[in-house]
């Protein structure tokens, strides 16, 4: 039971005595109307980096300068010039400027649009110059990146979720091989992440779904496209206003309008069939059946749909978890290996210390047993007097330093004065004495052995820990690889799933056309189900329109007040007030006179259009109901009756407004010096004189 279904039933039950509530609910579901009124939740979209590179194909003009070609330069020889562009825009207002037009300032913003939407707005020849693009952006606090190569203008790359702002690929959310799969991927991703819904309208005798590209188009402001107050397509301005304002009943209103438009179109076809006769009806039905078979064949040729955005995101989340666990195991392995290295070094140091003591003792005994005959430096003979001095004075017969003596049988003897037999006996006795000393120091030796044994035990334990952590890491890396592979496989299926969904929509349309052509004319139906569908839809429209108006009018009043305040800051000094209407029109009061938006000057319309977008964001954020992603692109504002002084005033006001509203704006203008004067250096990329931005 839904609120809308209950309200419709209450209005119709007096006229349709046997009408059940379940019948109304089934008609709403069948015609694609879902009673899920909910206010929008503001989400912030911000560009953090735009980088691209390639090779420009330029020509030499009559003055000898290398310049971008025009339509008149087809036959001129080309000069290949490689280029690179890399910029990390800041929050607030960012400026892209040059001293002249056609110097690449607008194309920077178009490259960003290419990455966000999946379809390039660049001029075809300029698009072919670009061979690599990276655009990084944040949605609230999560960082994402679109990275692709382009061959002859055709993109092929991936959508990533960055795990760190310091770089790295992170987790791949999807891949694309051309503009169609690129646009399908970005459409699904952006609608999901920005919490937006399809804007479906019935136009030109068919249901035309408008999704993320329509929203993204409304983020761009061009001085030559000022007629719609919201966005750049007049037929969508009302729906965009309803969605950006965040009113609760905006999605159901669009669904009711689309369903009613389709019903009336199909009813009109049925009437035309009855009036035109059987031949016309047969031709129409035959054409519709051909289209139906073509749609069935196209759907059958596609693989079965097994993937959706929700499942991809779930697999990506699992891949993130396993990647984090593997990272933790790698850190543990590094710690364990460091412990092994430290334990091994301590064991080696203990062994080296013990070897040094032993070698020192043996060296001293060896050199004390020597009996020199002459000085090794000056060849002076060692006399008997010198040797006696060794015995009597205990001085070395060479350098006269005190000798290291060896005690034997309670007598002091100089090792150099004993014979070979005596020296051997002396060494044996000294060794025995050392052994005796060693026996006295058993506790010390035991301590040394204990130290070495303890160190070796620590080393063995550390090595065992390394083996254990290595085994855990192998398991974690296997889980990480499996999770990443599953996520990648699901992402590869996402584009095919989108194609299948579109094929199903085409099949439903074709089936609907066949069904409508195969039923009898409306006047012969009487009180049947088809009549009931029309009655339910016509009853639903004023109900949801009323609910939308009640929900939207208070918000529009707040937005109108904000627009007037911002427009005065942007330079419309005599503006008294404005009234933003639910049909995306506006009444403007200036100098005591009332005008419509379409009647004021181009410069005033540009200021009001920008003020309207910012007011939607500001009020939506303040009231917690907006759906505007908080990103704007303004291209060449000074070309529409705005002088440099007025542009300076408007830019200054935009800087203050952006800081208050937490919005990011990009302004492209030929007034590069003005940008440098007003904006911080990190917020500007500009070329001086005849130079190019990239």
């Amino acid at each position: 039971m839904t609120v809308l279904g209950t309200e419709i039933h209450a209005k119709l039950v007096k006229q349709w005595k046997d009408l059940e509530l379940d019948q109304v609910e089934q008609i709403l579901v069948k015609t694609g109307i879902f009673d899920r009124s909910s206010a929008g939740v503001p989400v912030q979209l911000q560009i953090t980096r735009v980088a691209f590179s390639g090779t420009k194909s330029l020509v030499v003009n009559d003055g000898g300068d290398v310049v971008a070609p025009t339509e008149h330069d087809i036959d001129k020889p080309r000069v290949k010039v490689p280029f690179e562009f890399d910029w990390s825009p800041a929050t607030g207002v960012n400026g892209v400027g040059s001293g002249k037009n056609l110097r690449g300032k607008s194309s920077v913003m178009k490259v960003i649009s290419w990455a966000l939407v999946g379809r390039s707005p660049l001029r075809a020849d300029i698009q072919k110059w670009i061979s690599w693009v990276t655009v990084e952006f944040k949605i609230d606090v999560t960082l994402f990146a679109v990275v692709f190569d382009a061959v002859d203008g055709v993109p092929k790359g991936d959508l990533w979720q960055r795990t760190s702002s310091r770089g790295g690929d992170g987790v791949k959310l999807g891949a694309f091989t051309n503009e169609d799969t690129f646009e399908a991927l970005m459409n699904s991703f952006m609608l999901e992440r920005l919490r937006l819904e399809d804007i479906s309208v019935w136009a030109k005798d068919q249901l035309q779904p408008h999704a993320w590209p329509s929203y993204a188009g409304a983020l761009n402001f061009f001085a030559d496209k000022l007629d719609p107050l919201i966005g750049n397509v007049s037929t969508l301005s009302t729906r965009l206003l309803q969605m950006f304002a965040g009113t609760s009943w905006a999605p159901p209103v669009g669904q009711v309008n689309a369903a009613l438009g389709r019903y009336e179109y199909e009813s009109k076809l049925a009437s035309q069939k009855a009036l035109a006769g059987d031949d016309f009806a047969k031709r129409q039905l035959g054409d519709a059946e051909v289209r139906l078979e073509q749609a069935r064949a196209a759907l059958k040729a596609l693989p079965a749909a097994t993937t959706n955005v929700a499942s991809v995101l779930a697999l990506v989340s699992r891949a993130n978890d396993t990647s984090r666990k593997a990272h933790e195991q790698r850190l543990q392995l590094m710690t364990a290996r460091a412990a092994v290295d430290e334990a091994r070094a301590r064991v080696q140091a203990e062994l080296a210390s013990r070897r040094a003591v032993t070698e020192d003792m043996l060296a001293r005994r060896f050199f004390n047993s020597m009996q020199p005959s002459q000085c090794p430096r000056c060849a002076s003979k060692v006399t008997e007097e010198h040797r006696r001095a060794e015995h009597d004075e205990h001085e070395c017969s060479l350098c006269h330093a005190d000798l290291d003596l060896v005690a034997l049988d309670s007598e002091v003897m100089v090792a150099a004065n004993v014979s070979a037999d005596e020296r051997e006996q002396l060494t044996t006795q000294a060794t025995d004495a050392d052994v005796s000393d060693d026996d006295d120091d058993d506790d010390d030796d035991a301590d040394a052995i204990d130290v070495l044994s303890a160190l070796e035990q620590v080393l063995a334990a550390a090595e065992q820990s390394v083996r254990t952590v290595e085994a855990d890491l192998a398991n974690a890396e296997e889980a990480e690889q499996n999770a990443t592979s599953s996520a990648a496989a699901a992402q590869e299926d996402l584009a095919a799933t989108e194609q299948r969904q579109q094929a199903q929509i085409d099949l439903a349309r074709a089936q609907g056309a066949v069904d409508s052509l195969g039923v009898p004319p409306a006047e012969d139906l009487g009180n049947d189900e088809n009549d009931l569908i029309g009655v339910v839809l016509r009853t639903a429209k004023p109900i949801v329109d009323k609910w939308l108006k009640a929900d939207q009018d208070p918000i529009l009043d707040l937005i109108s007040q904000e627009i007037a305040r911002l427009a005065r800051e942007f330079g419309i000094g005599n503006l008294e007030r404005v009234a933003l209407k639910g049909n995306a029109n506006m009444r403007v009061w200036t100098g005591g006179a009332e005008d419509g938006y379409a009647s004021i000057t181009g410069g005033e319309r540009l200021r009001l259009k920008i003020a309207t977008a910012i007011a939607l964001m500001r009020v939506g954020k303040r009231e917690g109901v907006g759906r505007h992603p908080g990103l704007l692109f303004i291209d060449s504002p000074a070309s529409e009756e705005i002088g440099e002084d007025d542009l300076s005033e408007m830019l200054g006001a935009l800087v203050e407004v952006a800081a208050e509203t937490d919005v990011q704006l990009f302004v492209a203008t030929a007034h590069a010096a003005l940008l440098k004067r007003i904006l911080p250096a990190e917020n500007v990329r500009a070329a001086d004189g005849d130079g190019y931005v990239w």
Side-chain angles (χ1 to χ4, degrees):
M1 181 185 301
T2 63
V3 176
L4 180 57
T6 302
E7 184 72 13
I8 294 172
H9 180 261
K11 287 184 176 296
L12 293 180
V13 71
K14 295 179 182 179
Q15 180 182 357
W16 296 67
K17 299 295 184 180
D18 298 329
L19 180 63
E20 299 290 340
L21 177 58
D22 286 346
Q23 291 178 272
V24 176
E25 299 285 4
Q26 290 172 8
I27 289 174
L28 292 179
V29 173
K30 181 179 179 179
T31 54
I33 301 170
F34 303 97
D35 181 4
R36 57 183 184 199
S37 61
S38 60
V41 179
V43 177
Q44 180 67 43
L45 172 63
Q46 179 180 333
I47 306 301
T48 59
R49 182 189 177 207
V50 52
F52 54 95
S53 62
T55 303
K56 292 190 282 189
S57 179
L58 306 180
V59 298
V60 180
N61 64 13
D62 296 336
D65 297 325
V66 178
V67 297
T70 66
E71 59 184 5
H72 304 295
D73 298 326
I74 297 177
D75 298 330
K76 290 186 177 180
R78 300 301 174 104
V79 177
K80 300 295 184 181
V81 179
F83 66 88
E84 290 184 1
F85 181 88
D86 198 334
W87 182 31
S88 297
T91 56
V93 180
N94 293 276
V96 186
S98 60
K100 293 183 177 180
N101 289 320
L102 302 177
R103 289 298 187 269
K105 58 184 183 300
S106 297
S107 58
V108 173
M109 299 194 297
K110 291 180 180 179
V111 169
I112 297 175
S113 177
W114 189 7
L116 293 183
V117 178
R119 191 164 294 276
S120 172
L122 291 163
R123 208 173 70 190
D125 57 336
I126 295 178
Q127 181 175 332
K128 291 181 179 180
W129 293 353
I130 297 175
S131 59
W132 171 82
V133 174
T134 290
V135 172
E136 297 178 354
F137 56 95
K138 288 195 304 183
I139 298 179
D140 286 341
V141 297
T142 307
L143 185 63
F144 301 94
V146 174
V147 182
F148 63 89
D149 297 317
V151 178
D152 201 24
V154 178
K156 180 180 180 181
D158 305 294
L159 169 64
W160 297 89
Q161 178 175 334
R162 299 290 202 205
T163 55
S164 170
S165 60
R166 293 185 295 272
D169 288 336
V171 179
K172 186 166 72 171
L173 301 181
F176 50 89
T177 56
N178 52 48
E179 280 202 333
D180 291 336
T181 56
F182 193 1
E183 184 175 356
L185 174 63
M186 296 310 297
N187 181 69
S188 298
F189 171 77
M190 286 297 191
L191 290 180
E192 170 79 17
R193 289 288 178 158
L194 298 180
R195 301 168 188 161
L196 300 171
E197 299 188 44
D198 287 343
I199 307 175
S200 297
V201 296
W202 186 268
K204 297 181 180 179
D205 297 337
Q206 62 179 335
L207 184 66
Q208 297 182 347
H210 295 274
W212 168 237
S214 297
Y215 286 110
L219 309 183
N220 294 279
F221 293 81
F222 305 98
D224 58 346
K225 294 182 180 179
L226 299 176
D227 288 341
L229 181 61
I230 310 291
N232 299 306
V233 180
S234 298
T235 56
L236 293 177
S237 56
T238 300
R239 295 284 289 120
L240 287 170
L241 173 61
Q242 293 169 355
M243 298 300 290
F244 282 155
T247 48
S248 301
W249 286 95
V253 165
Q255 294 161 5
V256 169
N257 288 335
L260 185 56
R262 177 172 184 168
Y263 171 81
E264 291 177 343
Y265 167 73
E266 292 174 351
S267 297
K268 180 181 177 181
L269 283 183
S271 298
Q272 289 175 345
K273 182 184 68 172
L275 294 174
D278 292 341
D279 290 341
F280 175 78
K282 288 179 181 179
R283 287 196 301 271
Q284 290 288 92
L285 181 59
D287 292 343
E289 287 174 343
V290 169
R291 292 195 298 271
L292 177 60
E293 289 304 317
Q294 291 174 342
R296 285 174 177 165
L299 180 60
K300 186 177 180 180
L302 294 173
T306 58
T307 305
N308 53 42
V309 173
S311 64
V312 171
L313 294 179
L315 289 171
V316 168
S317 177
R318 178 170 171 265
N320 280 338
D321 291 340
T322 56
S323 178
R324 175 180 54 78
K325 291 177 182 178
H327 179 65
E328 292 173 354
Q329 291 295 329
R330 293 186 187 98
L331 293 178
Q332 292 182 18
L333 181 59
M334 291 173 60
T335 303
R337 285 176 174 168
V340 167
D341 293 341
E342 181 181 0
R344 185 176 288 116
R346 293 178 64 183
V347 169
Q348 292 173 351
E350 178 66 21
L351 291 174
S353 174
R354 297 182 67 183
R355 284 197 297 270
V357 171
T358 301
E359 291 171 356
D360 180 67
M361 180 183 70
L362 293 175
R364 290 167 62 87
R365 288 179 179 174
F366 172 77
F367 283 111
N368 281 344
S369 67
M370 296 178 64
Q371 187 173 359
S373 61
Q374 65 182 25
C375 176
R377 185 172 186 275
C378 62
S380 298
K381 298 293 184 178
V382 177
T383 65
E384 288 298 324
E385 181 180 358
H386 292 157
R387 291 192 176 93
R388 284 194 300 272
E390 285 185 349
H391 187 277
D392 298 335
E393 304 297 332
H394 306 157
E395 294 179 349
C396 176
S397 60
L398 292 178
C399 65
H400 308 295
D402 288 340
L403 290 171
D404 183 13
L405 302 178
V406 179
L408 181 64
D409 293 334
S410 303
E411 296 183 3
V412 178
M413 300 181 62
V414 178
N417 291 334
V418 299
S419 65
D421 293 338
E422 291 174 330
R423 186 161 52 250
E424 180 178 356
Q425 182 180 2
L426 178 63
T427 302
T428 302
Q429 293 174 347
T431 303
D432 293 340
D434 287 344
V435 171
S436 176
D437 290 342
D438 289 345
D439 291 341
D440 292 340
D441 295 335
D442 281 344
D443 291 342
D444 294 340
D445 289 345
D447 291 342
I449 293 172
D450 288 343
V451 169
L452 181 59
S453 176
L455 291 175
E456 289 174 340
Q457 290 176 5
V458 170
L459 175 58
E463 290 174 337
Q464 179 60 40
S465 177
V466 167
R467 289 190 290 272
T468 301
V469 175
E470 285 176 338
D472 293 341
L473 176 59
N475 294 333
E477 287 180 336
E478 182 179 1
E480 178 187 19
Q481 183 177 3
N482 291 338
T484 302
S485 299
S486 298
Q491 291 156 6
E492 291 174 358
D493 291 340
L494 188 59
T497 300
E498 293 290 338
Q499 290 179 342
R500 184 174 182 83
Q501 290 174 346
Q502 184 59 49
Q504 289 171 337
I505 292 173
D506 294 340
L507 177 59
R509 290 174 180 167
Q511 184 66 61
V514 170
D515 292 344
S516 66
L517 292 168
V519 300
E523 61 267 21
D524 295 335
L525 289 175
N527 237 13
D528 65 3
E529 182 183 0
N530 196 59
D531 271 348
L532 182 57
I533 292 174
V535 170
V536 168
L537 293 177
R538 293 189 182 100
T539 305
K541 179 171 174 52
I543 292 174
V544 293
D545 285 345
K546 177 182 176 182
W547 289 347
L548 174 67
K549 180 175 175 59
D551 211 15
Q552 183 173 258
D553 282 353
I555 297 176
L556 293 183
D557 288 341
L558 296 176
I559 294 173
S560 296
Q561 296 171 24
E562 193 67 34
I563 292 172
R565 190 179 74 81
L566 291 170
R568 284 191 287 267
E569 292 182 10
F570 293 165
I572 309 180
N574 61 342
L575 180 65
E576 297 171 4
R577 65 188 180 94
V578 301
L580 178 61
K581 303 297 182 181
N583 60 357
N585 277 324
M586 178 184 289
R587 302 304 299 172
V588 182
W589 286 264
T590 55
E594 178 185 356
D595 281 311
Y597 171 78
S599 301
I600 60 179
T601 67
E604 290 174 332
R605 280 190 291 166
L606 178 60
R607 291 175 173 90
L608 281 172
K609 185 167 183 173
I610 296 172
T612 300
I614 295 176
L616 283 167
M617 289 182 278
R618 176 174 284 184
V619 174
K621 184 175 182 180
R622 187 174 66 217
E623 302 297 323
V625 297
R627 292 187 180 91
H628 199 292
L631 178 65
L632 296 178
F633 300 91
I634 305 173
D635 193 4
S636 303
S639 64
E640 187 57 49
E641 303 179 27
I642 296 182
E644 185 170 352
D645 292 341
D646 291 337
L647 179 60
S648 176
E649 180 181 8
M650 189 171 77
L651 280 177
L654 283 173
V655 170
E656 296 180 3
V657 168
E660 296 172 5
T661 313
D662 194 26
V663 63
Q664 189 182 43
L665 294 93
F666 289 82
V667 179
T669 178
H671 296 277
L674 178 61
L675 293 176
K676 293 180 179 180
R677 187 171 70 249
I678 295 177
L679 303 179
E682 63 271 18
N683 291 58
V684 178
R685 288 301 294 266
D688 297 323
D690 293 333
Y692 288 86
V693 177
W694 53 272

